[in-house]
Amino acid sequence: DDSAVSALAALSAAAGNARIIFAPGCGIDTGDRQQLDEAERAAEQADVVILIVGESREMSGEAASRVDIRLPKCQRKLAKRIFKTGKPVVLVSISGRPLELSKEATRFPAMLHAFAPGMEGGNALADLIFGDAAPLAKLAMGFPRAVGQLPMTYREHPSGRPFDPGNPYTSRYLDCGNDALFPFGHGLTYGAVEIGTMTISPSSMPAGGQVSASVELANHGPAPVTETVQLYLRDPVASFSRPVKELRGYQRVTLAAGESRTISFEITDAELRPNSQAAVEPGEFVVMIGTSSGKLRESRFWRI
């Protein structure tokens, strides 16, 4: 669409007097050695490289998609050539679905996944890359380390042999970690919020009651930072198997430089029951609070 703002146009406008060196590198799934050579020469002249890769809209969508969730081969070659230049690289990936980006994650310290960013996507990317806006989004689905992990969900049901790094006879992959490369709820920003110890009060909850789960947040950085703090719950023993964790709440919090603040999540029977019609079974519940489904503080209370 001619009215869409391209990343090149937006970055060129945002760069001001800085010089932009552009090389296509390759197409979505086609390319030749000459294009790769030109891209490598351009990268060698640059102070910082912004490498944009990904899928076209035809590669995933309603009722049709590629079986391979890695970057197309020509783009993987391009990424390898750019990495070998030794230049600092911001990798921007675009697609309508999660991709397997394990190799790219080991090579490039700065990665931004834009999904399908829309007509103004170029301007949005420029704002984030140049620091005029901070990335605040969280993943609504995890990114796998390898396609063999699929299907994959943070809400998986418990195994009879849950993973234990010290026990070789538990459920595991031999050539890959069990966890997601980027888990559900993951999303970094400029700066970081430290989450302190969790407290739960009271330690037990009667029918129709509530408990409060609280954590202290701290921003030790020199600038304000915004974080989405997430609440997950688990019922370890129930009449039917419940997931190892389920998202039950979240709060977006902005802390000034050097600020600390305590936030609380109120937990009632509505958060504990598996669905709106089910009864809440008594027993121990696990409470987890953190910045993603893979980075959580944990505590427990009893439902009487």
Side-chain angles (χ1 to χ4, degrees):
D1 191 319
D2 293 339
S3 61
V5 180
S6 71
L8 177 60
L11 290 166
S12 298
N17 294 326
R19 180 186 173 206
I20 297 290
I21 307 169
F22 171 71
C26 67
I28 296 292
D29 57 2
T30 59
D32 56 41
R33 177 146 188 182
Q34 181 178 347
Q35 288 179 309
L36 293 173
D37 290 343
E38 289 174 354
E40 185 174 352
R41 285 194 294 270
E44 289 171 342
Q45 298 177 57
D47 296 318
V48 176
V49 178
I50 300 172
L51 177 60
I52 300 179
V53 295
E55 294 185 321
S56 67
R57 64 182 181 182
E58 293 83 11
M59 288 179 169
S60 69
E62 185 175 356
S65 64
R66 290 194 310 142
V67 69
D68 193 346
I69 60 171
R70 296 178 300 170
L71 294 172
K73 186 175 181 179
C74 62
Q75 295 187 43
R76 301 200 304 272
K77 287 182 177 180
L78 173 63
K80 185 176 181 180
R81 292 277 292 269
I82 298 302
F83 170 72
K84 286 185 174 180
T85 66
K87 296 290 184 171
V89 177
V90 177
L91 181 80
V92 178
S93 51
I94 296 174
S95 69
R97 59 179 181 168
L99 300 175
E100 191 265 270
L101 298 169
S102 295
K103 183 69 72 174
E104 289 73 26
T106 64
R107 290 172 171 164
F108 306 117
M111 296 176 63
L112 177 63
H113 190 74
F115 283 100
M119 306 291 284
E120 288 292 321
N123 287 327
L125 287 172
D127 287 344
L128 295 173
I129 291 171
F130 281 95
D132 295 318
L136 301 179
K138 295 289 186 174
L139 291 179
M141 57 196 80
F143 279 48
R145 295 184 180 277
V147 70
Q149 290 180 294
L150 301 177
M152 182 184 71
T153 173
Y154 87 95
R155 297 180 69 254
E156 65 185 2
H157 285 267
S159 163
R161 292 185 176 185
F163 174 68
D164 178 353
N167 185 346
Y169 301 106
T170 56
S171 299
R172 66 179 61 226
Y173 295 107
L174 297 176
D175 53 354
C176 174
N178 280 37
D179 58 334
L181 177 65
F182 302 117
F184 174 90
H186 172 79
L188 302 180
T189 187
Y190 297 127
V193 168
E194 179 182 299
I195 296 184
T197 304
M198 188 193 321
T199 59
I200 296 183
S201 180
S203 59
S204 61
M205 186 181 98
Q210 72 176 36
V211 298
S212 179
S214 302
V215 291
E216 183 174 9
L217 310 178
N219 173 19
H220 299 301
V225 61
T226 297
E227 180 60 86
T228 300
V229 184
Q230 303 157 42
L231 168 73
Y232 297 83
L233 296 177
R234 179 184 181 188
D235 185 356
V237 181
S239 58
F240 62 92
S241 182
R242 299 281 299 274
V244 295
K245 58 175 75 87
E246 296 179 272
L247 181 67
R248 284 293 185 256
Y250 57 88
Q251 295 183 40
R252 177 171 283 186
V253 181
T254 299
L255 299 179
E259 181 184 0
S260 296
R261 187 190 312 170
T262 297
I263 66 167
S264 298
F265 291 92
E266 305 306 318
I267 302 171
T268 68
D269 281 351
E271 286 72 44
L272 300 184
R273 57 172 54 99
N275 58 64
S276 59
Q277 285 76 42
V280 178
E281 298 180 353
E284 187 180 46
F285 282 81
V286 181
V287 182
M288 296 159 278
I289 296 178
T291 55
S292 78
S293 63
K295 191 175 182 181
L296 297 166
R297 297 277 188 179
E298 183 177 306
S299 190
R300 299 165 184 257
F301 73 94
W302 284 87
R303 166 62 160 77
I304 306 299

